[in-house]
Amino acid sequence: PELVDYSPWTDDVRESDAATTLSASVGDDKIKRVRFRIRYPDGTTGSFVAGSTSDSGGDLTTWTHSVDTTAQSGTYGYRLRMVDRDDNVVDYPEDSDSWIEFLVADNDAELVAAARAKISSLCDDAWPDVNLCAKFVRHGFHDCVGGCDGC
């Protein structure tokens, strides 16, 4: 099984006013099933649950699973398990401790806090010879040249 695309992507942000549909597009017409495993913001983890095929065209099939993200805001994680007709199993991410994580936010304050945390993480993890924080400041300044839009 070959994973071609998935959604939400790592670090995506969703609003908590609706359920979130997880999807995995798999490039193999011999796929028997795709399963989704969810980790909730409170740390609980569900079992792998079967996805439903939502679109199939040629060798590409998209599998989906809906998650009720209206009850809890915070960082969700999910894993994929793809099984072909010969019962070969491929997990994604391959590392069993890794998750595809996305944020579900209740309000703008949560979005701003998440953006600040991500920017801080990028600045801390930047290459030693690159001052990424300075680049963020310069970008903000240059965006306001000729008139600031109140960003």
Side-chain angles (χ1 to χ4, degrees):
E2 176 192 356
L3 181 63
V4 175
D5 193 15
Y6 59 89
S7 177
W9 295 316
T10 299
D11 295 331
D12 268 2
V13 177
R14 304 293 169 122
E15 293 183 31
S16 63
D17 60 353
T20 298
T21 300
L22 309 177
S23 69
S25 296
V26 181
D28 187 343
D29 60 352
K30 295 182 178 106
I31 293 296
K32 183 167 43 174
R33 65 182 171 269
V34 173
R35 295 178 171 271
F36 298 83
R37 185 175 189 191
I38 312 303
R39 186 188 67 212
Y40 297 92
D42 63 7
T44 58
T45 303
S47 301
F48 276 101
V49 294
S52 304
T53 54
S54 67
D55 186 27
S56 184
D59 288 347
L60 188 67
T61 303
T62 300
W63 298 74
T64 61
H65 175 67
S66 184
V67 179
D68 181 8
T69 53
T70 61
Q72 294 182 55
S73 64
T75 301
Y76 284 76
Y78 70 101
R79 297 181 50 75
L80 302 169
R81 175 164 287 165
M82 298 162 280
V83 182
D84 68 13
R85 294 191 205 302
D86 297 325
D87 289 327
N88 296 310
V89 175
V90 174
D91 285 344
Y92 187 84
E94 292 176 10
D95 175 6
S96 62
D97 294 330
S98 297
W99 295 83
I100 303 164
E101 293 184 334
F102 63 97
L103 175 69
V104 173
D106 276 335
N107 53 53
D108 290 343
E110 287 183 2
L111 293 174
V112 169
R116 282 186 178 148
K118 186 64 178 176
I119 291 169
S120 178
S121 170
L122 288 171
C123 288
D124 293 343
D125 296 339
W127 304 273
D129 59 338
V130 176
N131 187 346
L132 197 55
C133 289
K135 291 182 182 298
F136 277 114
V137 172
R138 279 193 298 278
H139 176 73
F141 171 76
H142 289 291
D143 190 41
C144 286
V145 171
C148 192
D149 60 4
C151 64

